[in-house]
Amino acid sequence: MRAVALLLVGMAVMAEGSKQKLLQEELEDAVLTNTGSKIATSKLYRTGEPVGDFPQPSDPRMNLKSPKKWQATFATNVGSFNVIVHRDWSPKGADRFYSLVMNDFYDGARFFRYADNFVVQWGLKGTPQIDSLYENGANIMDDPQFKSNTKGRITFATSGPNTRSTQVFVNLADNTFLDSQGFTPFGELASEDDLNIFMRKINAEYGEKANQNKIIHEGNQLYLNSHFPHMSYIKSEKVQVLEE
């Protein structure tokens, strides 16, 4: 009996040790929130999980603190492109974009607006249950203007002061007139090759015809796939930290 008891104690100790090791590994592979707490990356939302599990705007998983400098790589149906994000350009904007990318928000998103020599815009997921969460009450405050909307820079779309949410655009030209309107870049395409994806490969045939309200309420399946079947889209996204 004594031997059995010792064996059970030993097994309990081993189990506790394994549990502590897993917890330590989770904490090491974690991201910071804006409150200074840590969230294991395994707790973030991943494409394929139930739509109802996508984090609400107030969820700590959607309030992550961006690294100082990082690269977002987007694989699309027409090739991949890289965005370099600089947190000091637009801290709140960088934090929101980081939170969206880390939770796979842009997977499946269409490039629904192509304005020649102006911008390419995306940032509606095309899943009504998720897009409706961020339509109202999910806006972030504006950041001071540090950088200009020059060609290749990426900026949140707005509908007025303090209305940044999930939609972003890449400048196809030097749109410096946007600077005085509160459009604050938070990053830039990493190279000419990345810009080439926007200038030459993303499908421009639909221009600005897509209706944003219909995208939000009907999504990719009911609206975009049937009316704009050749619209380019994001397949996956990933993050590489360049500077903590």
Side-chain angles (χ1 to χ4, degrees):
M1 294 291 292
R2 179 182 173 84
V4 172
L6 288 173
L7 177 61
L8 291 174
V9 170
M11 290 173 66
V13 170
M14 288 175 63
E16 184 62 27
S18 296
K19 184 178 178 182
Q20 291 295 329
K21 184 179 178 183
L22 286 171
L23 181 60
Q24 182 63 32
E25 288 174 351
E26 273 200 345
L27 289 175
E28 289 174 358
D29 185 23
V31 286
L32 278 176
T33 70
N34 273 313
T35 61
S37 61
K38 285 186 175 182
I39 296 177
T41 55
S42 61
K43 304 296 184 185
L44 301 176
Y45 182 87
R46 289 291 172 260
T47 297
E49 294 178 356
V51 171
D53 290 347
F54 194 84
Q56 300 272 340
S58 59
D59 191 302
R61 292 174 294 170
M62 281 303 299
N63 290 275
L64 304 179
K65 183 177 181 180
S66 161
K68 276 187 179 181
K69 184 179 179 182
W70 55 283
Q71 178 174 283
T73 298
F74 295 91
T76 81
N77 66 315
V78 294
S80 295
F81 67 90
N82 301 298
V83 173
I84 304 296
V85 177
H86 304 267
R87 191 174 189 272
D88 60 349
W89 289 14
S90 174
K92 293 182 180 67
D95 289 351
R96 170 54 65 85
F97 193 64
Y98 183 67
S99 300
L100 292 166
V101 173
M102 289 296 288
N103 284 283
D104 287 353
F105 180 88
Y106 293 116
D107 284 15
R110 269 54 175 172
F111 298 95
F112 63 82
R113 181 187 183 198
Y114 197 111
D116 283 321
N117 203 39
F118 182 36
V119 300
V120 175
Q121 188 167 325
W122 79 96
L124 293 172
K125 191 169 181 62
T127 304
Q129 192 172 339
I130 294 176
D131 283 328
S132 61
L133 287 176
Y134 289 82
E135 184 180 10
N136 298 301
N139 297 339
I140 59 173
M141 300 294 287
D142 290 339
D143 283 304
Q145 188 83 33
F146 291 120
K147 297 292 180 178
S148 185
N149 284 275
T150 53
K151 189 174 183 178
R153 286 187 173 162
I154 182 171
T155 305
F156 271 97
T158 77
S159 56
N162 303 314
T163 58
R164 295 180 298 174
S165 181
T166 65
Q167 295 189 46
V168 296
F169 61 83
V170 164
N171 289 287
L172 299 182
D174 289 338
N175 298 319
T176 55
F177 68 94
L178 293 176
D179 300 350
S180 61
Q181 299 177 37
F183 293 96
T184 307
F186 59 85
E188 59 194 345
L189 296 175
S191 71
E192 285 295 322
D193 288 339
D194 299 302
L195 181 60
N196 189 57
I197 293 289
F198 286 86
M199 301 291 287
R200 305 185 188 283
K201 295 190 176 181
I202 288 175
N203 190 1
E205 70 175 290
Y206 304 121
E208 302 182 70
K209 294 178 182 177
N211 183 299
Q212 293 188 32
N213 285 327
K214 287 192 173 184
I215 300 173
I216 292 169
H217 298 294
E218 298 179 25
N220 293 340
Q221 205 147 13
L222 293 178
Y223 177 56
L224 290 183
N225 289 354
S226 57
H227 291 82
F228 309 97
H230 306 300
M231 190 172 277
S232 302
Y233 63 92
I234 292 170
K235 297 165 68 176
S236 64
E237 55 208 288
K238 65 181 180 179
V239 165
Q240 179 185 354
V241 177
L242 302 178
E243 188 178 346
E244 294 283 358

